[in-house]
Amino acid sequence: MNFNTRLLHEGVKKEPNGATFPPIFQSSAFAQESAEDLAGIFANKKMGYCYTRVANPTISAFEERITKLEGGIGSVACASGMAALSMALLNILQAGDEIISSASLYGGSIDLFRDIEAFGIKTRYVENNNWEEIEGAFNEHTKVVFAETIGNPCLDVTDIDKLAEISHRHGTPLVIDNTTATPYLVRAIEHGADIVVNSSSKYINGSSNSISGILTDSGHFKWTKERYPVLGEYIKYGPFAYISKMRSGLYRNMGTCLSPFNAYLNVIGLETLGLRMERQCSNALALAQWLEENYDDITVNYPGLKSSKWNGIANTILKNGYGAILTIRVGTKERAFEIMNKLTIPYILSNIGDTKTLVVHPSSTISLHSTEKELADAGVYDDLIRISVGIEDVEDLIADFRTAIS
Ligand SMILES: *Cc1c(COP(=O)(O)O)cnc(C)c1O
């Protein structure tokens, strides 16, 4: 089956009473027929639900669809993308461990990596796709490698195959944040990623009506007790070690579960992910090309443009398009603000992946807490506007930008 068919029919279970959509099980706990049944569920000896912080049928329906879509063996849905990323890393890390991460990251992830230093976990930043620097960053403490498929807002594209090859040679799993690309553009597991994280608040939900995140385990990484002692007794589950420890450990105990209602909204959004991405990517390419062709004093950054440093890698890694985010540099911060204020269609807000076009001035908002070095690494400048392109008719977007710029 192809992508859109799979969205509608893969990972889909029979629902009660022939319902064609998963009902919202807005219930905190689930009663069993007998004390033995409940004891069996608690001991992981019987399938079933006991408490929504651990698992819930509506949330499972969302998780199973994403597992199929990303091509993994299991997923865990969380209250936000940041929660999913925290869980993905902390599930295997302990004090003294190190992360090697691309320096081109979403600002919230940089903030998180700073926070977990207090728990003895250090991050070594490297230039994305700089293989020599990446090789040099490994040491005996390195336990995870991390990058975004398309860096937000730098829009660099990660050569996932190459990064996975290097990580694996050093006995280290690769975690990929696939939020900006989505499985429509790339199934990171097929390129060697071990764990994939998506902020489903963005393209997967699609309409910005709920915050959520989800991580998917490929089941490919060979965990060992020696290198990952925190996996403890779960090592015996082999390929399921990581996901079982997550569900029975950190996820349950830190309480990062998703609300069943938000899971329901995500399943609605997911059905149209392919259609929306197709339109959003083609709109983004058309807008980027039009801006580049028509304005000598505006620099356009979009992986789909020949002028992008990452166009070559994008062509080998991404399928079906180049994503729906572009950035433009307009000369000064004042001009950036002026253009944003004159636009009538886009919303001025800090989000991506909505059906509606969104604009933001990163240096005064999402990157406000970044250092000079972090700003440079993330490709953030004072005159930069980030545009998350929606599904509007592109002629209207172009007309709106033409008026605002003039
Ligand atoms: C938004 C975003 C996140 C965080 O997701 P939330 O759902 O807002 O917590 C992580 N990574 C990337 C690339 C994002 O764009």
Side-chain angles (χ1 to χ4, degrees), residues 70-114:
E70 287 287 12
I73 59 158
S75 298
V76 173
C78 300
S80 68
M82 292 317 301
L85 179 56
S86 304
M87 291 300 103
L89 299 172
L90 297 180
N91 197 42
I92 44 173
L93 295 178
Q94 62 181 25
D97 288 347
E98 290 186 6
I99 302 167
I100 293 177
S101 173
S102 157
S104 162
L105 286 192
Y106 171 70
S109 303
I110 296 175
D111 292 345
L112 170 70
F113 291 168
R114 201 179 289 136

Side-chain angles (χ1 to χ4, degrees), residues 41-98:
I41 291 172
F42 266 75
N44 289 328
K45 292 204 169 108
K46 187 177 159 12
M47 295 289 279
Y49 295 95
C50 57
Y51 197 57
T52 286
R53 172 153 51 72
V54 182
N56 170 291
T58 314
I59 301 170
S60 301
F62 173 52
E63 290 168 339
E64 281 156 25
R65 283 160 166 82
I66 295 289
T67 298
K68 289 287 184 194
L69 216 50
E70 287 287 12
I73 59 158
S75 298
V76 173
C78 300
S80 68
M82 292 317 301
L85 179 56
S86 304
M87 291 300 103
L89 299 172
L90 297 180
N91 197 42
I92 44 173
L93 295 178
Q94 62 181 25
D97 288 347
E98 290 186 6

Side-chain angles (χ1 to χ4, degrees), residues 54-56 59-78 84 87 183 189 194-198 200 204 213-219 239-240 242-244 246-248 251 258 270:
V54 182
N56 170 291
I59 301 170
S60 301
F62 173 52
E63 290 168 339
E64 281 156 25
R65 283 160 166 82
I66 295 289
T67 298
K68 289 287 184 194
L69 216 50
E70 287 287 12
I73 59 158
S75 298
V76 173
C78 300
M87 291 300 103
I189 290 172
D194 298 288
I195 312 290
V196 180
V197 178
N198 282 284
S200 35
I204 288 174
I214 187 159
L215 66 91
T216 305
D217 180 9
S218 68
F240 292 94
Y242 180 95
I243 206 81
S244 341
M246 175 77 67
R247 175 88 52 199
S248 307
Y251 167 78
L258 181 60
L270 194 56

Side-chain angles (χ1 to χ4, degrees), residues 80-83 106 109 148 152 177 179-180 199-202 211-213 352:
S80 68
M82 292 317 301
Y106 171 70
S109 303
E148 295 176 6
N152 175 14
D177 181 336
T179 302
T180 45
S199 164
S200 35
S201 317
K202 317 289 172 56
I211 295 288
S212 66
I352 56 167

